[in-house]
Amino acid sequence: MFKNIAKITTGTLTAVTLLGSAMFMASDASAEKVLRFSHTDNPGGSRQAAAEVFAEKVAEYTEGRYKVRVYPAGQIANDPKAIEQLQLGGVDFTVSATGSYATHMPSLNLTAMPFLVDTYEQGWDFYDNSAWLQGEFSKLPAKGFRVLSTWEAGFRSFTTSDPLTSPKDAVGKKMRVYPNDMIRWTMEAIGFQTVVMPITDVYLSIQQGVVNGQENPVDTIKSLRFYEVAPNVTLTRHVYSPLPLTISEQTWQSFSAEDQAAVMKAAKESSDFSRKLVRDSVNGQIDEMKAAGASVSVPVIGPFRDSVQSVYEKAKGIYGDEVEKVLADAAAIREKLPAK
């Protein structure tokens, strides 16, 4: 009797073990790997919208092998820390202004030289086709991350607590900047005192009078509601400031060639989506800010352009001939695609 019980028990355990193994293998075969995407835009902003498109396309084009989980509003890290996390493999993707990456590739500061391009189309051509910029991007994998595509944010403009009609109004005022030499030099050339701080601290700092304003593209100004605490929006469009989408090099190297191609395709399509969304949304965002009580103005740009001439010379003193390469590429693109 006991022998029969033992046989039954052994047979049952074997069947359970085999069934469990089969279930595990089936689960493992269909399991998706979760990739983390950190950014600092609010959930309602264009970066989040593009991130959702990117995540959807990655899942589609990898046939469910990968799932991108998006963490907006600096939940994981601010922009500089997110880039550090890329290098360490702590996050898989981030998207930030080109100048944010300059801590690791100083020459990228040059993309933030003032008034390089005048239109979105010129900016897109510069980021997609500038021989100089593509050459700099090709060096980034050695730093621990690589550029997949470029998303749109637009042209940087000001929001200030007091009106800003000319550089004279900047004298004695404190302007928040992110850690980028070119932006800092430009602000100081205009007349501001500069204060470096993460974007996640800016709203409260303006509200408390720590700084008198900040500068960002309209999309960011609207998304992060800076116009509520600094209601004077001055559309200088002084720097074209798109957002390279980057991936951890560790993550990239872990992909098969097939999955690398799938992620690149998703990145390109999310870039197309982002560019169209931001370009087509700007006028509506300006109208919404006006309706909310913001004062929006377009100043005479000549005095602002004149005030920043020293920035080019300062850049040449540090980056030498690289400055001329950037200016030459930008000039060729402006000639090819003149502003209408």
Side-chain angles (χ1 to χ4, degrees), residues 233-237 296-301:
V233 182
T234 307
L235 301 176
T236 48
R237 294 165 55 93
V296 181
S297 62
V298 179
V300 177
I301 296 299

Side-chain angles (χ1 to χ4, degrees), residues 7-262:
K7 287 179 181 179
I8 293 170
T9 302
T10 302
T12 302
L13 288 172
T14 302
V16 169
T17 301
L18 290 171
L19 177 62
S21 298
M23 290 174 66
F24 176 80
M25 290 173 66
S27 174
D28 186 63
S30 62
E32 60 189 12
K33 180 173 174 58
V34 176
L35 303 172
R36 303 207 303 170
F37 189 149
S38 172
H39 69 80
T40 55
D41 197 15
N42 273 350
S46 69
R47 264 177 278 183
Q48 177 64 15
E52 290 171 357
V53 169
F54 178 67
E56 177 186 330
K57 296 298 183 182
V58 168
E60 177 184 349
Y61 296 146
T62 64
E63 298 179 339
R65 289 187 294 277
Y66 290 93
K67 175 182 179 179
V68 177
R69 184 170 294 159
V70 182
Y71 296 85
Q75 291 177 31
I76 293 179
N78 61 31
D79 289 317
K81 291 297 183 183
I83 295 167
E84 290 178 9
Q85 286 297 309
L86 282 184
Q87 296 175 299
L88 299 170
V91 299
D92 301 288
F93 304 100
T94 196
V95 61
S96 186
T98 316
S100 297
Y101 301 99
T103 301
H104 309 282
M105 178 68 72
S107 58
L108 293 179
N109 275 316
L110 296 176
T111 63
M113 285 193 291
F115 301 109
L116 276 182
V117 296
D118 303 315
T119 68
Y120 286 105
E121 290 75 16
Q122 291 173 4
W124 299 341
D125 199 296
F126 181 77
Y127 269 76
D128 292 345
N129 299 313
S130 163
W132 174 83
L133 185 55
Q134 292 305 310
E136 298 309 289
F137 281 169
S138 71
K139 301 172 186 175
L140 290 175
K143 304 292 183 179
F145 54 92
R146 67 173 57 215
V147 174
L148 297 176
S149 67
T150 303
W151 291 3
E152 189 55 84
F155 290 83
R156 303 181 81 87
S157 289
F158 293 102
T159 49
T160 51
S161 51
D162 299 311
L164 179 65
T165 60
S166 76
K168 292 179 181 179
D169 295 327
V171 177
K173 303 294 174 60
K174 293 181 180 178
M175 176 60 53
R176 175 268 174 180
V177 296
Y178 67 95
N180 178 269
D181 286 343
M182 204 64 60
I183 294 292
R184 180 171 56 82
W185 296 343
T186 298
M187 296 302 101
E188 291 171 354
I190 290 172
F192 289 106
Q193 298 174 34
T194 56
V195 179
V196 176
M197 69 173 63
I199 197 168
T200 47
D201 295 344
V202 173
Y203 187 101
L204 187 59
S205 295
I206 296 174
Q207 194 173 46
Q208 295 178 339
V210 176
V211 292
N212 302 107
Q214 64 83 50
E215 49 84 52
N216 257 300
V218 166
D219 183 74
T220 304
I221 292 169
K222 175 65 171 56
S223 171
L224 299 182
R225 309 176 76 90
F226 291 141
Y227 62 92
E228 294 179 343
V229 288
N232 296 281
V233 182
T234 307
L235 301 176
T236 48
R237 294 165 55 93
H238 49 273
V239 170
Y240 178 60
S241 186
L243 306 163
L245 167 65
T246 47
I247 182 173
S248 166
E249 187 64 12
Q250 292 182 37
T251 304
W252 178 258
Q253 293 301 334
S254 73
F255 291 156
S256 66
E258 179 185 6
D259 287 336
Q260 287 178 351

